């Protein structure tokens, strides 16, 4: 009888397709057998536990250069350590082209930042900020062939944004060469106009960030992004959707048969605009874009998670320390909201929050949980079935959850390098207690035990979900 290097026994296994009970045989970092009474040199008894594919966090920012002098608190080591401790075994952060520079340089620089640092495996999305002939004609096609098969397009932020014509050009490359386009959809001119009006009225405290980016701004840009994609006939994924106005546009497109995918994040389920009103500049901790909305919006986002509007649930971990002149306080504690770095940390809390409020409370089942947090992101970004599932031939990236363990989220139990969590004090039920990356422990019995440099770069395939429908609208 074959003796595997490791066997996980008696666990309730869930994939995006099924929930079943069997043993998992692991050898050389791969799942090599699913069956009964498997033999292993090492046996993990998962009785009473839930065995899930390691999470795939397809939207987070690690050690990403910024344009305003702020510095991200998490690099590839601390960010992936934190990911692993929250049950995530694959991360896809962003290699961001600096305006005036090439994407190739951004990719090379990002490899230097990641090499030898990551605890779990990683791939890169690209961020395209300039659409020169070199970018469109040479760099993007070459990089796509080399395994960088997704890129993000910004409709706002001066240092990052593309105009509609440029977006069409980039979407055309995605269509021709088979990449997945992700779009940050907010109307930049509306934001600039509203920001000026708020400043003129002296309304510059952190919570006015929300007023500068109301839902209509996101709705308009979401509709425009969908229309541009329809014109080119290419699938797109709208990232970090915050509420009903954008959801309606996405639903409208999906009902018409367009390949429009959508992502949401914990901040739109667990935070509201009120959290940006906290005293002593503390509201800055919850500033992100699009901003958190209201209680009703949280329910709208839940409904989108339940009814299939959303395909992906990511953290959008954007790690800026609060009490730090290179973090949220880069402009001081009286700073205008527009100079506060955007983003909230959440790579470690993403899965426990959704598990507790989603699965334990009965809003979604385990299969949908795996679909949103592991299988779909792996599929949509060309990593499936190597990542995102439990199947023979897949990498042995596995998170064993104790579904009964209750944890009060506080910053001191987390493994990121940020000095706060926006989810401080929330009690969750369910936590990953053992996590394997390619068959190697990164968390054992609730304790982090990963190794810096264990994580490897992943080349992504051209994703099937990026294929155009061929509706004949392409010129
Ligand atoms: O506010 C956010 N989400 N910051 C991170 C950057 C981005 O746009 O995703
Ligand atoms: Zn964004
Ligand atoms: Zn982001």
């Amino acid at each position: 009888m074959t003796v595997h290097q490791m066997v996980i026994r008696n666990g309730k296994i869930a994939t995006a397709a099924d929930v079943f009970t069997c043993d998992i045989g692991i050898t050389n970092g791969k799942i090599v057998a699913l069956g009964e009474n498997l033999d292993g040199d090492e046996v993990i008894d998962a009785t009473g536990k839930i065995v899930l594919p390691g999470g795939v966090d397809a939207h987070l920012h690690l050690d990403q250069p910024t344009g305003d002098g702020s510095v991200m608190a998490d690099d590839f080591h601390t960010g992936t350590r934190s990911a692993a401790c929250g049950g995530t075994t694959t991360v896809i952060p962003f290699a961001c082209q600096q305006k005036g520079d090439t994407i190739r340089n951004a990719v090379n620089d990002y490899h230097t930042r990641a090499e030898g640092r990551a605890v779990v495996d990683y791939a890169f999305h690209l961020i395209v900020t300039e659409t020169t002939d070199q970018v469109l004609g040479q760099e993007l096609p070459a990089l796509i062939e080399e395994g960088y098969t997704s890129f993000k397009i910004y409709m706002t932020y001066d240092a990052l944004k593309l105009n509609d014509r440029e977006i069409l050009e980039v979407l055309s490359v995605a269509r021709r060469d088979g990449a997945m386009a992700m779009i940050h959809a907010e109307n930049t001119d509306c934001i600039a106009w509203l920001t000026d009006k708020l400043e003129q009225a002296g309304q510059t405290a952190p919570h006015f960030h929300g007023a500068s980016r109301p839902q209509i701004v996101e709705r308009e840009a979401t509709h425009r992004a969908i229309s541009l994609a329809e014109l080119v006939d290419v699938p797109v994924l709208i990232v970090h959707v915050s509420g009903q106005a954008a959801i309606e546009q996405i639903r409208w497109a999906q009902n018409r048969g367009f390949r429009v995918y959508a992502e949401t994040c914990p901040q739109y389920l667990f935070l509201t605009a009120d959290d940006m009103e906290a005293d002593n500049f503390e509201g800055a901790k919850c500033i992100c874009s699009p901003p958190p909305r209201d209680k009703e919006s949280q329910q709208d986002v839940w409904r989108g998670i339940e009814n299939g509007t959303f395909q992906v649930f990511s953290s959008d971990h954007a790690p800026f320390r609060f009490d730090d002149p290179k973090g949220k306080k880069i402009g001081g504690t009286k700073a205008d909201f527009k100079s506060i770095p955007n983003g909230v940390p959440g790579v470690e809390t993403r899965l426990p929050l959704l598990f507790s409020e989603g699965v334990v409370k009965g809003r979604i089942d385990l299969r949908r949980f795996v679909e949103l947090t592991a299988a779909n992101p792996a599929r949509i970004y060309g990593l499936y079935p190597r990542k995102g599932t439990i199947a023979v031939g897949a990498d042995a990236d596995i998170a064993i959850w104790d579904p009964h363990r209750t944890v009060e989220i506080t910053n001191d139990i987390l493994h990121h390098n940020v000095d706060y969590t926006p989810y401080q004090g929330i009690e969750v039920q369910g936590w990953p207690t053992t996590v394997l990356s390619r068959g190697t422990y990164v968390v054992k019995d609730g304790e982090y035990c990963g190794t810096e440099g264990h994580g490897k770069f992943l080349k992504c395939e051209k994703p099937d979900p990026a294929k155009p429908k061929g509706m004949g609208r392409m010129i």
Side-chain angles (χ1 to χ4, degrees):
M1 189 180 182
T2 309
V3 180
H4 304 289
Q5 284 171 354
M6 186 184 269
V7 164
I8 301 173
R9 254 194 213 136
N10 301 328
K12 179 170 154 185
I13 301 169
T15 68
D18 291 305
V19 178
F20 51 97
T21 304
C22 74
D23 300 346
I24 302 174
I26 297 168
T27 294
N28 295 333
K30 296 267 184 200
I31 297 172
V32 294
L34 297 176
E36 288 180 347
N37 303 317
L38 300 183
D39 243 1
D41 288 334
E42 179 175 0
V43 174
I44 301 177
D45 182 6
T47 304
K49 305 284 198 305
I50 295 176
V51 181
L52 303 181
V56 177
D57 194 341
H59 185 158
L60 76 168
H61 305 268
L62 300 179
D63 202 8
Q64 189 180 312
T66 64
D68 61 357
S70 60
V71 176
M72 289 194 173
D74 281 315
D75 59 15
F76 274 83
H77 177 219
T78 61
T80 56
R81 177 183 70 193
S82 188
C85 291
T88 289
T89 51
T90 303
V91 297
I92 319 182
F94 297 86
C96 179
Q97 179 192 22
Q98 304 299 306
K99 280 205 200 278
D101 202 354
T102 64
I103 306 186
R104 176 66 69 182
N105 279 347
V107 168
N108 291 344
D109 170 61
Y110 217 42
H111 274 293
T112 309
R113 290 166 189 262
E115 198 83 34
R117 307 294 324 278
V119 171
V120 298
D121 291 349
Y122 57 94
F124 294 166
H125 302 295
L126 309 175
I127 294 176
V128 184
T129 63
E130 270 184 341
T131 56
T132 59
D133 288 348
Q134 183 183 337
V135 165
L136 298 173
Q138 295 161 32
E139 291 203 326
L140 277 180
L143 286 164
I144 291 167
E145 293 307 320
E146 290 170 35
Y148 309 87
T149 60
S150 50
F151 32 77
K152 185 170 174 190
I153 296 167
Y154 281 83
M155 299 173 87
T156 186
Y157 297 129
D158 289 343
L160 303 171
K161 70 186 179 194
L162 300 183
N163 65 32
D164 290 357
R165 172 80 190 242
E166 292 167 329
I167 293 172
L168 288 169
E169 300 290 6
V170 178
L171 291 179
S172 300
V173 174
R175 185 188 199 278
R176 187 191 65 206
D177 295 335
M180 178 60 73
M182 313 156 77
I183 304 199
H184 178 132
E186 288 184 294
N187 182 312
T188 197
D189 287 329
C190 294
I191 294 167
W193 182 79
L194 286 165
T195 301
D196 284 350
K197 297 284 164 223
L198 288 161
E199 277 181 332
Q200 283 156 21
Q203 298 182 319
T204 60
H207 71 272
F208 289 108
H209 173 79
S212 74
R213 309 172 98 102
Q215 288 211 46
I216 189 167
V217 161
E218 187 186 357
R219 185 193 73 192
E220 186 283 329
T222 301
H223 186 84
R224 184 156 37 96
I226 290 166
S227 302
L228 299 178
E230 183 188 2
L231 202 64
V232 175
D233 177 24
V234 67
V236 281
L237 184 139
I238 311 294
V239 292
H240 45 48
V241 173
S242 73
Q244 184 62 7
I247 290 172
E248 278 169 4
Q249 302 307 308
I250 291 158
R251 203 65 193 168
W252 169 85
Q254 291 171 343
N255 286 341
R256 287 166 61 113
F258 301 161
R259 289 193 181 152
V260 171
Y261 310 111
E263 169 201 84
T264 193
C265 314
Q267 47 270 38
Y268 306 117
L269 296 177
F270 294 90
L271 304 179
T272 68
D274 290 349
D275 293 304
M276 292 186 290
E277 294 213 29
D279 293 340
N280 300 325
F281 201 65
E282 298 255 336
K285 289 179 174 175
C286 297
I287 285 190
C288 57
S289 294
R293 307 297 183 187
D294 55 17
K295 287 270 172 213
E296 202 181 326
S297 290
Q298 292 181 342
Q299 296 315 312
D300 295 332
V301 174
W302 273 117
R303 203 168 315 114
I305 285 176
E306 289 158 24
N307 70 17
T309 305
F310 291 110
Q311 285 71 45
V312 178
F313 189 75
S314 306
S315 69
D316 194 7
H317 180 78
F320 294 103
R321 291 170 68 85
F322 174 64
D323 209 1
D324 189 333
K326 290 214 156 86
K328 292 280 185 183
K329 294 183 178 170
I330 188 165
T333 52
K334 300 270 178 285
D336 188 321
F337 66 80
K338 80 173 183 203
S339 64
I340 300 170
N342 282 200
V344 296
V347 68
E348 190 166 343
T349 43
R350 170 184 77 121
L351 297 178
L353 284 168
L354 186 68
F355 187 91
S356 185
E357 281 301 309
V359 178
V360 176
K361 296 258 171 90
R363 290 180 168 110
I364 55 173
D365 63 14
L366 271 176
R367 288 172 305 159
R368 177 77 176 134
F369 177 80
V370 173
E371 184 174 75
L372 284 160
T373 59
N376 276 352
R379 280 192 189 111
I380 286 175
Y381 300 116
L383 290 170
Y384 194 85
R386 179 171 175 192
K387 304 294 188 186
T389 193
I390 291 178
V392 171
D395 282 354
D397 286 8
I398 293 172
I400 303 177
W401 286 65
D402 180 345
H404 303 294
R405 184 168 167 200
T406 57
V407 174
E408 182 187 349
I409 295 175
T410 56
N411 198 53
D412 57 341
I413 65 160
L414 301 179
H415 298 78
H416 60 192
N417 194 30
V418 187
D419 57 354
Y420 78 97
T421 167
Y423 310 111
Q424 183 80 15
I426 295 182
E427 188 171 280
V428 292
Q429 183 185 327
W431 201 274
T433 48
T434 292
V435 180
L436 305 176
S437 164
R438 280 182 278 105
T440 298
Y441 286 105
V442 282
V443 178
K444 191 174 186 183
D445 300 328
E447 294 296 323
Y448 171 72
C449 60
T451 308
E452 191 175 347
H454 166 83
K456 295 279 174 274
F457 174 69
L458 302 162
K459 290 183 178 184
C460 297
E461 304 287 326
K462 294 183 181 182
D464 270 350
K467 287 192 177 139
K469 282 197 79 175
M471 291 186 295
R473 286 197 178 81
M474 187 70 181
I475 321 153

